[in-house]
């Protein structure tokens, strides 16, 4: 794989800056990495990011931003306005961690037992802070910059909470952009997707209710394990027989629990599912068919199915104009060779989707090199990705808030 393969995960190259990195950002690489390591050592779960929010607010205030805290719970917005330009740009980073025990072996590993930045949100925050410092001290723009540090991405509730708290009324933007690191993509490279870029996600909890009994006399029982097994098998037909083969859908049963003894038929079996799609109409089809199959299959065995199927969050659908804009900024700043050709949509999910439903924008993918997968206890955010990604944000702000102003 091409890219900065000489850099160990979690450590940035200390010699010449990567192609396209702004010199001022390269000069502060060590400071940006130190911020990231500090955040990594102190991970906080959704809506508990008090230390992280305070640190972000402190730095933004030092650099001259007008800072608002407590947005949607623990969210922070930094505003920087210059000149008389009327254009307004939003850049977003997520700040929460995961309930995962870290196994990275890093010297700066999590100091909180059972919590870890296993998705790189510490890196995303460091990237936006690095860009924030550059724009405050060196940025050439005419307009308003809104930097959004969002809590609770992992639970899918942070973006909607900030919106409900008046995010875009209090801090208006004409466009909103976000990013996510991606393992397997070379460091310093960027991926852009028009239209659906990440999947919607819904979680279902299914209870198959039968009638327990002795395993030696099954004729007197209604076996929920047998019914659940047939439900699981039948669910595999949902995507293959109800979704256009040219479209994407996923139905995964990730958990099944029922019974405790080999010779006892239980009363209840519980299943947990995840359901994903790119298109809203496919999402609706999956939800309908999963529910129908569960209920009707259970009934065929004399059992009953109860399903809880709350809506999670929608698919990330990038706006074509804003995607083309940031892609061109990347090509101009880094060269076409650092833009991944025909970057494919991802089937993971992101609550940036809610922000894109409210305002036009795009969600960008940033190379993390050869790291462990996201949400792995061995995942390591690659520090070498901070400077290129921060430079992209800085270039985007300067282009958007200067070049297009009459």
């Amino acid at each position: 794989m091409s890219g900065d393969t000489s850099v160990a995960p979690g450590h940035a190259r200390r010699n010449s800056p990567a192609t396209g990195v702004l010199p001022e950002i390269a000069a502060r690489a060590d400071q940006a990495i130190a911020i990231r390591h500090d955040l990594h050592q102190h991970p906080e779960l959704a809506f508990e990011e008090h230390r992280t929010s305070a640190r972000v607010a402190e730095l933004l205030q030092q650099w001259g931003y007008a800072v608002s805290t407590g947005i949607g719970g623990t969210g922070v917005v930094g505003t920087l306005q210059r000149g008389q330009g009327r254009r307004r740009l939003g850049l977003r980073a997520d700040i929460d961690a995961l309930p995962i025990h870290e196994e990275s072996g890093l010297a700066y590993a999590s100091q909180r037992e059972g919590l870890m930045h296993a998705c790189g949100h510490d890196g995303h925050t460091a990237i936006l802070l690095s860009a924030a410092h550059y724009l405050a001290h060196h940025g050439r723009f005419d307009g308003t910059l809104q930097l959004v540090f969002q809590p609770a991405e992992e639970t899918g509730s942070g973006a909607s909470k900030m919106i409900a708290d008046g995010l875009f009324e209090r801090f208006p933007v004409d466009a909103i952009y976000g990013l996510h690191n991606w393992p397997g993509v070379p460091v310093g490279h960027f991926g852009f997707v028009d239209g659906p870029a990440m999947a919607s996600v819904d979680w279902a909890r299914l209870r198959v209710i039968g009638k327990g009994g002795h395993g030696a006399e099954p004729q007197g029982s209604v076996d929920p394990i047998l019914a659940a097994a047939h439900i699981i098998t039948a669910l595999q037909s949902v995507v293959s027989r109800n979704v256009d083969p040219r479209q994407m859908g996923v139905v995964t049963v990730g958990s099944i629990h029922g019974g405790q003894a080999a010779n006892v038929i239980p009363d209840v079996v519980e299943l947990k599912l995840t359901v994903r799609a790119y298109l809203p109409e496919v999402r609706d089809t999956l939800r309908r068919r999963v529910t129908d199959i569960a209920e009707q299959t259970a009934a065929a065995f004399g059992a009953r199915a109860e399903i809880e199927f709350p809506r999670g969050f929608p698919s990330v659908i990038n706006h074509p104009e804003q995607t083309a804009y940031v892609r061109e900024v990347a090509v101009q700043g880094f060269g076409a060779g650092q833009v991944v050709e025909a970057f494919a949509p991802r089937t993971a999910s992101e609550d940036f989707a809610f922000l894109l439903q409210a305002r036009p924008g795009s969600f960008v993918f940033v190379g993390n090199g050869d790291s462990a997968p996201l949400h792995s206890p061995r995942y390591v955010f690659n520090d070498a990705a901070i400077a290129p990604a921060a430079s992209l944000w800085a270039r985007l702000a300067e282009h958007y808030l200067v070049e297009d102003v009459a």
Side-chain angles (χ1 to χ4, degrees):
M1 179 178 292
S2 61
D4 195 3
T5 56
S6 65
V7 180
H11 300 276
R13 184 193 292 275
R14 292 301 198 273
N15 52 21
S16 60
T19 302
V21 171
L22 293 166
E24 297 88 348
I25 288 178
R28 292 192 73 259
D30 286 346
Q31 292 94 319
I33 291 169
I35 291 171
R36 207 279 290 183
H37 290 189
D38 175 67
L39 296 175
H40 189 85
Q41 288 181 302
H42 302 93
E44 297 171 301
L45 296 178
F47 299 121
E48 298 176 4
E49 311 96 331
H50 302 290
R51 182 187 185 277
T52 303
S53 294
R55 180 66 172 142
V56 166
E58 176 189 25
L59 291 171
L60 292 176
Q61 287 169 343
Q62 287 178 10
W63 301 336
Y65 286 79
V67 177
S68 300
T69 60
I71 314 301
T74 45
V76 177
V77 177
T79 301
L80 190 62
Q81 193 276 329
R82 284 187 179 157
Q84 302 302 312
R86 292 179 294 177
R87 288 171 69 84
R88 303 157 302 183
L89 176 67
L91 300 174
R92 173 269 207 176
D94 37 17
I95 63 175
D96 57 324
L98 284 156
I100 294 175
H101 176 75
E102 184 163 356
E103 299 176 7
S104 67
L106 295 170
Y108 56 88
S110 171
Q111 295 180 0
R112 301 193 65 193
E113 181 66 28
L115 302 185
M116 176 190 177
H117 272 293
C119 204
H121 295 185
D122 52 340
H124 304 163
T125 301
I127 287 167
L128 189 52
L129 287 172
S130 179
H133 181 276
Y134 170 88
L135 290 165
H137 294 84
H138 311 286
R140 299 172 299 279
F141 65 91
D142 184 20
T144 302
L145 185 66
Q146 309 279 24
L147 304 186
V148 179
F149 294 84
Q150 181 210 302
E153 186 282 323
E154 295 294 355
T155 63
S157 52
S160 55
K161 281 285 185 70
M162 292 191 81
I163 292 170
D165 203 12
L167 174 65
F168 292 126
E169 291 75 28
R170 298 164 64 182
F171 313 97
V173 299
D174 301 306
I176 184 82
Y177 289 87
L179 60 73
H180 207 293
N181 77 94
W182 210 262
V185 177
V187 173
H189 288 59
F190 304 96
F192 304 94
V193 181
D194 289 327
M198 299 186 79
S200 63
V201 61
D202 297 302
W203 295 277
R205 178 175 177 264
L206 173 63
R207 298 179 78 240
V208 184
I209 303 169
K211 177 183 177 184
H214 198 294
E217 297 180 345
Q219 72 278 8
S221 68
V222 176
D223 190 347
I225 291 181
L226 178 63
H230 280 267
I231 290 172
I232 292 171
T233 300
L235 288 176
Q236 306 313 304
S237 70
V238 173
V239 172
S240 67
R241 290 298 176 267
N242 299 123
V243 176
D244 188 319
R246 294 164 295 185
Q247 298 171 352
M248 191 282 289
V250 173
V251 176
T252 294
V253 179
S255 173
I256 176 169
H257 291 278
Q260 295 180 336
N263 63 341
V264 178
I265 295 172
D267 289 314
V268 179
V269 171
E270 183 176 283
L271 310 175
K272 294 181 180 179
L273 293 74
T274 182
V275 180
R276 299 174 187 263
Y278 287 143
L279 300 179
E281 56 268 30
V282 174
R283 184 188 189 191
D284 291 341
T285 295
L286 297 180
R287 292 176 61 89
R288 184 182 69 254
R289 291 300 295 142
V290 165
T291 300
D292 290 347
I293 285 174
E295 292 176 345
Q296 294 171 19
T297 303
F301 286 87
R304 178 165 53 92
E306 293 180 350
I307 188 165
E308 298 175 10
F309 212 155
R311 285 199 173 261
F313 38 105
S315 55
V316 173
I317 301 180
N318 285 335
H319 297 249
E321 180 180 346
Q322 285 71 27
T323 302
Y325 193 97
V326 68
R327 181 189 286 112
E328 182 58 27
V329 170
V331 169
Q332 290 182 17
F334 297 88
Q338 287 180 232
V339 173
V340 180
E341 186 176 354
F343 192 84
R346 270 37 188 171
T347 54
S349 304
E350 239 283 352
D351 81 340
F352 192 76
F354 290 114
L355 301 177
L356 290 178
Q357 287 185 336
R359 294 294 184 274
S362 191
F363 196 63
V364 179
F365 298 90
V366 176
N368 197 56
D370 295 321
S371 72
L374 301 173
H375 291 211
S376 164
R378 292 172 294 281
Y379 165 84
V380 177
F381 179 86
N382 196 324
D383 288 333
I386 296 176
S391 296
L392 177 67
W393 277 167
R395 292 180 188 277
L396 175 63
E398 289 187 322
H399 280 68
Y400 193 90
L401 298 175
V402 175
E403 289 190 353
D404 290 348
V405 176

